[in-house]
Amino acid sequence: MAAPRAAEGRPRAGARRGRAGAPAAPSAPLPIRRLKYLLRMLERHPDHAKAFAEVIASVWADVDAISLFAEVGFAPRMALWNEFLGRLRRRLLPLSADTKDLSELFELLFPHEADEQWIAAVDDELLERLGLLFAGAPEGDWREEMRAAITVLVSSVRSAGLSGALRVRMDPQLLARRPFRNLATAWEQVEHALVENDRAALPGQLQYLRGLLDECRAAVRSVPDHLEEHGVSVDLMFGVEQMQARLRRVEDLLAVLLADHPQRELLRLVAALVAVVHDRRSIRTLFARHYSLLARKVAERSAETGEHYITRNREEYGDMLRRAGGGGLVIAGTTFMKFAIMAVGLSAFWGGFWAGVNYAASFVLILLLHWTVATKQPAMTAPALADKLRHIDSEPGLQAFVDEVAHLFRSQTAGIIGNLALAAPMVLVVQLAAWLSFGKPLVGAKEAEHVLHSLTVLGPSLFFAAFTGVLLFASSLIAGWVENWFVFHRLDSAIAWNPRIVARLGASRAGRWSRWWRDNISGLTANISLGLMLGLVPALLGFFGLPIEVRHVTLSTGQLAAAAGALGIDVLKHWPFWLCVISILGTGVLNVGVSFFLAFKVALRSRGIRLADQKRVRAAIWARMRRQPMSFLVPPKG
């Protein structure tokens, strides 16, 4: 009895294999199986089939199909934020079936993303049988609706192509034949030939229409090239994508109208519309797609700035140390100003505001003196490093990337050493001078004890340091965005040619003033935004009950030096002081590391670079560290 039971537990050979020993075909998707069952029932009962077809025909006659072909997948306005609000509404609010708009009913008919797959899987036999469902619908109706939809699409493309915002950014040579102006007339001629079934005139008119569509498509593709050179606008990029999608939709509808047997083309169109419907529901996809070019421009502008922060020889290394030392001197003064603001006892907001003004003024002064703050470097140098990843496929390219890593690490180390080497001693000198002049330090023992308590590694200082790294990265994004806005609106040209400015300064000085703003707008924005965020963000978060502070490595070092100057040399014998020293080391690593990591990730994504061979890159860097460890700290002699 054991053997028969074992046989029963195994599937039969016929169940596993089809005819002639071939594997059995996978079962059809559930919607197709249901559709076949419905068709079998209707085929067995012709009266029911006729009634069913009449219902479908009445529904088709009652709804507006033009919206399905001409509006599904497109925003009513060429504005990104209007589309965002529309998508948000569709996600939060249910759609109503009480409508004659077929585009809205279409979303209710195909609510699942998998619907596209089973529609595309419909075979020719099933497609032929589906004609039973639409037996009562006159064929001319859907063709008329499609022609009307093409008229709507052509009008939208023509209007957008002739609008000033896009037209002035297209290649003039591609507009020489006026493709957008002639598009509507060309379609009217094709439509007339289709309606009149003029087989003689149709091929030539259709060729002319498709030639114009190709010219329009080429003109639209030239807009991003102009934007990359003269500044990016996400609204314009959204409009470009909408025009390209409408041009593709025109081609799809023409393919259905011109097909001898349009069922298969119509099925492809329905599957494509289902995909578009579900793609349009995604808010993340919307912003990821349309902000990618802006992110790349921000990263590229940061990379251009970041090249100035990377040292590649001893002369540049020494210059970085000197500039970082100058930044440390200014930060020493910033430290005492912070203690002065705290001593006033302002409210949380105004205390944060004036602290932010203090930081921003110090950072701008460092910029204008051509000095540097080490923590500003990572967000700028990361895009420059990411650009080198394009060439790591070859061994020379990989070694060049490792060289760049060594240059960057060495430059960052020089910046931090230069900042701290002068910031801490200068604070101590000022504290000692105050002892000798006034008999007490500028920063007293009470404030010093508070510093030792707040900076200790046993508290949340390292978390605050990571949060500060996020703010450092955010300031670089703000700077890139503002510089892009400045270039896009051609404010440098406006300054150079403004009659009032020219009358007051003269043409040559106005030109120099214009170039100065063009060269420094990014740096000014980065430093001002960082300073204000360091002061205001903790105050604003505290309003919501989030006790988050900032920990900047150079400012924290100045505060600890002031505390040591107030408590005297004996503070070196106590463990709390060294806990703060350890915390400052961690603060420097997290300030730099978090800012660099975020900027590097944005640079990679905006350029479409995928670091697939990470093991190879890591192995090359480790090999360099074992073979030449000092190359990461000391520049080469040559």
Side-chain angles (χ1 to χ4, degrees):
M1 296 296 292
R5 280 196 296 268
E8 290 173 1
R10 295 192 302 267
R12 292 179 300 172
R16 289 179 298 164
R17 306 186 67 84
R19 297 176 182 176
S27 60
L30 180 60
I32 289 185
R33 297 202 302 271
R34 288 176 173 174
L35 189 58
K36 288 182 177 180
Y37 178 78
L38 172 63
L39 288 172
R40 283 198 300 269
M41 293 297 102
L42 294 177
E43 289 166 353
R44 292 174 185 174
H45 302 86
D47 295 338
H48 296 337
K50 181 179 179 181
F52 192 90
E54 290 176 353
V55 171
I56 295 293
S58 65
V59 171
W60 180 262
D62 195 41
V63 297
D64 176 19
I66 298 176
S67 60
L68 173 64
F69 301 129
E71 296 177 8
V72 166
F74 306 121
R77 299 180 184 177
M78 294 287 190
L80 183 67
W81 283 99
N82 285 332
E83 176 66 5
F84 163 72
L85 294 176
R87 294 192 183 198
L88 187 63
R89 175 183 59 80
R90 282 192 295 273
R91 288 178 67 92
L92 299 179
L93 301 178
L95 294 175
S96 172
D98 184 18
T99 178
K100 293 184 178 182
D101 189 340
L102 188 56
S103 62
E104 295 185 11
L105 292 175
F106 192 79
E107 295 190 39
L108 296 174
L109 286 171
F110 302 101
H112 307 295
E113 292 187 23
D115 291 334
E116 176 193 4
Q117 300 174 3
W118 73 258
I119 292 174
V122 173
D123 56 31
D124 293 337
E125 179 188 358
L126 180 57
L127 187 59
E128 193 70 28
R129 294 168 62 192
L130 280 173
L132 180 65
L133 300 181
F134 300 94
E139 183 178 355
D141 285 356
W142 67 264
R143 291 181 180 274
E144 182 179 351
E145 302 281 0
M146 276 196 181
R147 291 195 297 268
I150 293 179
T151 301
V152 174
L153 291 168
V154 166
S155 299
S156 298
V157 170
R158 183 175 186 271
S159 174
L162 293 177
S163 65
L166 287 175
R167 188 186 69 253
V168 298
R169 292 173 174 85
M170 295 179 186
D171 188 341
Q173 295 180 356
L174 299 176
L175 297 177
R177 295 181 57 187
R178 301 181 177 182
F180 291 101
R181 294 189 183 185
N182 299 329
L183 193 60
T185 304
W187 162 242
E188 288 175 0
Q189 294 173 353
V190 171
E191 183 181 20
H192 179 75
L194 287 172
V195 173
E196 299 297 331
N197 197 21
D198 189 352
R199 296 288 181 178
L202 182 59
Q205 293 169 351
L206 191 61
Q207 183 179 6
Y208 178 57
L209 174 63
R210 283 178 167 160
L212 289 178
L213 291 173
D214 290 339
E215 291 180 11
C216 291
R217 195 176 293 110
V220 173
R221 283 199 299 264
S222 69
V223 174
D225 297 335
H226 182 280
L227 294 178
E228 289 206 17
E229 183 178 355
H230 300 285
V232 176
S233 166
V234 290
D235 277 340
L236 284 181
M237 283 304 303
F238 181 68
V240 165
E241 188 193 66
Q242 292 280 289
M243 285 184 65
Q244 291 175 330
R246 283 186 166 93
L247 289 168
R248 288 193 298 269
R249 182 69 57 80
V250 170
E251 294 280 8
D252 293 340
L253 295 178
L254 282 174
V256 177
L257 288 173
L258 297 171
D260 295 330
H261 302 285
Q263 292 87 348
R264 177 58 61 181
E265 294 294 337
L266 190 58
L267 193 69
R268 291 195 186 98
L269 177 62
V270 171
L273 290 175
V274 172
V276 166
V277 164
H278 290 286
D279 182 64
R280 198 180 173 201
R281 289 175 179 172
S282 174
I283 295 176
R284 179 180 179 182
T285 301
L286 175 71
F287 285 99
R289 180 183 302 159
H290 295 98
Y291 276 92
S292 60
L293 181 58
L294 177 59
R296 186 164 86 244
K297 290 308 298 179
V298 169
E300 287 175 358
R301 296 188 189 284
S302 297
E304 293 172 4
T305 306
E307 288 290 339
H308 303 298
Y309 290 110
I310 300 178
T311 64
R312 295 180 172 84
N313 53 54
R314 295 205 167 191
E315 182 181 356
E316 293 177 354
Y317 185 81
D319 181 64
M320 174 62 71
L321 284 174
R322 288 189 293 271
R323 290 190 290 123
L329 290 176
V330 176
I331 295 298
T334 308
T335 303
F336 287 108
M337 283 299 300
K338 179 180 179 181
F339 281 113
I341 293 171
M342 293 171 59
V344 175
L346 299 172
S347 63
F349 173 80
W350 288 110
F353 173 77
W354 287 112
V357 171
N358 176 37
Y359 298 146
S362 301
F363 295 152
V364 170
L365 178 61
I366 292 171
L367 172 70
L368 296 179
L369 294 175
H370 302 289
W371 293 341
T372 186
V373 179
T375 51
K376 285 296 299 172
Q377 297 175 12
M380 299 298 180
T381 54
L385 181 65
D387 198 49
K388 306 296 182 182
L389 284 171
R390 296 180 181 274
H391 312 292
I392 63 171
D393 294 338
S394 64
E395 188 62 27
L398 179 62
Q399 293 305 317
F401 176 76
V402 176
D403 290 339
E404 200 71 8
V405 171
H407 296 329
L408 190 149
F409 188 88
R410 186 171 60 240
S411 304
Q412 186 64 63
T413 303
I416 293 178
I417 291 174
N419 279 168
L420 303 188
L422 284 184
M426 180 56 61
V427 171
L428 288 173
V429 167
V430 173
Q431 285 284 76
L432 178 61
W435 271 109
L436 297 176
S437 301
F438 309 111
K440 62 178 182 179
L442 292 180
V443 177
K446 182 179 178 180
E447 291 82 0
E449 293 292 345
H450 175 73
V451 168
L452 295 179
H453 175 73
S454 61
L455 292 184
T456 178
V457 73
L458 301 179
S461 287
L462 296 184
F463 171 77
F464 295 159
F467 175 72
T468 305
V470 176
L471 297 183
L472 290 163
F473 163 69
S475 69
S476 69
L477 287 186
I478 294 172
W481 182 86
V482 170
E483 184 179 12
N484 176 78
W485 175 84
F486 185 92
V487 173
F488 179 78
H489 291 284
R490 303 179 63 191
L491 295 185
D492 51 343
S493 177
I495 293 173
W497 297 100
N498 183 271
R500 293 184 179 180
I501 296 177
V502 172
R504 182 175 294 272
L505 299 179
S508 60
R509 292 179 62 189
R512 291 196 300 271
W513 186 238
S514 168
R515 289 190 294 273
W516 186 90
W517 275 106
R518 176 63 182 84
D519 295 337
N520 292 279
I521 184 65
S522 177
L524 290 172
T525 304
N527 287 287
I528 293 173
S529 63
L530 175 61
L532 293 178
M533 284 192 295
L534 291 177
L536 280 173
V537 169
L540 295 176
L541 292 178
F543 176 79
F544 294 100
L546 299 174
I548 296 179
E549 301 177 12
V550 294
R551 292 289 185 270
H552 187 279
V553 59
T554 312
L555 291 169
S556 297
T557 301
Q559 294 173 20
L560 186 61
L567 299 175
I569 196 171
D570 289 340
V571 74
L572 302 179
K573 303 177 182 178
H574 300 291
W575 188 237
F577 174 81
W578 296 107
L579 289 177
C580 292
V581 172
I582 296 172
S583 176
I584 286 176
L585 294 176
T587 296
V589 172
L590 288 171
N591 282 170
V592 172
V594 171
S595 176
F596 180 87
F597 173 77
L598 294 174
F600 191 68
K601 293 291 286 184
V602 168
L604 287 180
R605 290 194 176 187
S606 65
R607 287 169 166 82
I609 300 174
R610 293 187 179 275
L611 188 54
D613 201 359
Q614 298 185 29
K615 291 183 179 180
R616 182 165 165 261
V617 174
R618 284 198 296 267
I621 294 175
W622 280 113
R624 175 67 62 84
M625 294 185 71
R626 290 192 302 269
R627 191 171 62 251
Q628 299 175 344
M630 294 305 295
S631 65
F632 289 85
L633 299 175
V634 180
K637 294 182 179 180

